[in-house]
Amino acid sequence: MNNFFDNQRILQLIWKRKFHFIIVGIIAFLFSAIFSGPKFIEPKFKSTARIYPSNIWALSEESETEQMLEIVGSTDIKQKMFDAFNLAEVYGIDRNDPHYMTYMLGEYNKNVNASKTKFETVEIKVMDADPQRASDMCDSIINFYNKKVRKMHKAKDWEMVTVSKNNLEKRSAERDTLISKIDLIQKEYGILDFKSQAERVTEGYMNALANGRAGSSDLKKIEKLYNNLADKGTEARILENRLKYLTGVIDSLTTLYDTHLSEFEKDITYSHIVEYPFPADKKSYPVRWLIVVFTTFSAIFLALLVFLVLDYRKFE
């Protein structure tokens, strides 16, 4: 084995067997050219789209682009693609097969790919025997992505609409109760504005007493209001402050409710299409010349090994 891979010996063998190598090369070239043709390998066309994420927010530590990749590659979007393009028939997979989903996902993942580019776009590539179908599949993936994100956002927005609406109703009911209590105090006790009335009534009552009008009808009215303020004044003041606070809270909740309702009702897309897909006019698979070249050189190299073994045994 010392001289099995000797360069001089190999070169001599190649020259000696040159016609054999030529014949092997021609046969390999012809067979690879024939078997790489469309009759044996179905040609496939590639359609490509590139999109930027928009109107979404990053979740966890992932970027918007990574989030887009997760959604584009989700199983429910793949299942929508299966149904929309009848891919079971395209891929030749029986729907009744117990491993139907495994086979479908395997074929889909071989023919459809989404990846992040260095410019943070998501590039979608679809390979298919029909160039128009490949282009339509790219379009549909983008469309299904927008619908899925819209559904996710609407679900969260509706949660916030419900929460803000419940809080708004609760605070409004509390405000109505306060208004009823304040109305009762105003009607029965004459307390309209505790702070201003307390100062004026106290001042008037003291002046009347000082002027010796203890038995007058005006003093009795002032005294009654003074006593009402003493009995219900604190409660009225608390109710007024609470009503003022609730009014501010309700204003904020109303704004919040309107914002979330607006977000829920709007209908927008969640991607900027940088490159639109189109039907390819030239196949991308198989690369016939590469198959022919690889097969031809592989056959010649295998022939060289065989001739080396035969030659070595001859002189053993």
Side-chain angles (χ1 to χ4, degrees), residues 303-314:
L304 175 61
L305 292 178
V306 171
F307 291 145
L308 281 173
V309 172
L310 293 175
D311 187 66
Y312 180 80
R313 289 182 176 180
K314 183 188 296 186

Side-chain angles (χ1 to χ4, degrees), residues 20-241:
H20 294 86
F21 286 117
I22 292 172
I23 293 171
V24 170
I26 291 173
I27 293 173
F29 178 86
L30 292 174
F31 273 94
S32 60
I34 293 171
F35 286 104
S36 63
K39 289 186 177 180
F40 295 93
I41 300 178
E42 184 181 46
K44 291 185 179 181
F45 299 83
K46 181 172 69 175
S47 188
T48 303
R50 287 190 294 119
I51 54 178
Y52 270 118
S54 65
N55 298 320
I56 61 176
W57 55 87
L59 302 174
S60 185
E61 296 181 356
E62 66 181 4
S63 66
E64 287 85 352
T65 304
E66 290 168 341
Q67 182 187 152
M68 175 180 273
L69 274 176
E70 289 287 337
I71 297 172
V72 166
S74 62
T75 303
D76 57 335
I77 285 184
K78 293 177 181 179
Q79 289 178 326
K80 285 182 172 63
M81 292 292 290
F82 297 166
D83 297 335
F85 292 93
N86 195 17
L87 292 182
E89 183 177 332
V90 173
Y91 296 152
I93 298 173
D94 185 3
R95 293 179 182 273
N96 297 320
D97 192 300
H99 303 294
Y100 164 77
M101 187 57 67
T102 300
Y103 294 149
M104 285 296 295
L105 290 173
E107 285 296 321
Y108 182 89
N109 292 335
K110 283 196 299 184
N111 291 284
V112 180
N113 176 261
S115 59
K116 183 171 70 171
T117 70
K118 64 179 180 179
F119 301 110
E120 292 297 314
T121 60
V122 169
E123 185 177 57
I124 301 171
K125 296 179 182 178
V126 177
M127 298 283 287
D128 197 89
D130 184 348
Q132 184 61 56
R133 184 166 57 217
S135 177
D136 292 343
M137 286 177 69
C138 271
D139 273 329
S140 294
I141 289 172
I142 297 171
N143 184 43
F144 288 143
Y145 161 80
N146 284 323
K147 287 183 177 179
K148 181 174 176 63
V149 177
R150 188 180 301 124
K151 184 178 179 181
M152 293 167 60
H153 282 208
K154 280 185 178 293
K156 288 299 178 184
D157 289 330
W158 184 248
E159 285 181 4
M160 295 308 300
V161 167
T162 303
V163 170
S164 56
K165 182 181 179 181
N166 290 339
N167 285 335
L168 185 59
E169 291 176 348
K170 181 180 178 181
R171 296 297 186 178
S172 296
E174 185 178 353
R175 182 183 63 179
D176 293 341
T177 302
L178 285 177
I179 291 174
S180 297
K181 291 181 178 179
I182 291 173
D183 286 344
L184 181 64
I185 291 177
Q186 289 176 346
K187 291 176 180 179
E188 293 190 1
Y189 298 95
I191 302 175
L192 302 178
D193 184 348
F194 174 78
K195 185 176 181 180
S196 60
Q197 281 183 300
E199 293 176 358
R200 292 178 183 179
V201 169
T202 301
E203 182 181 357
Y205 184 61
M206 292 298 107
N207 289 335
L209 290 176
N211 294 329
R213 295 183 297 167
S216 66
S217 60
D218 290 339
L219 181 61
K220 290 181 178 179
K221 292 179 180 179
I222 295 174
E223 185 178 10
K224 181 180 180 181
L225 184 57
Y226 178 84
N227 292 331
N228 288 343
L229 286 170
D231 292 338
K232 293 292 183 177
T234 301
E235 181 182 352
R237 183 177 60 184
I238 293 173
L239 291 175
E240 288 173 0
N241 290 337

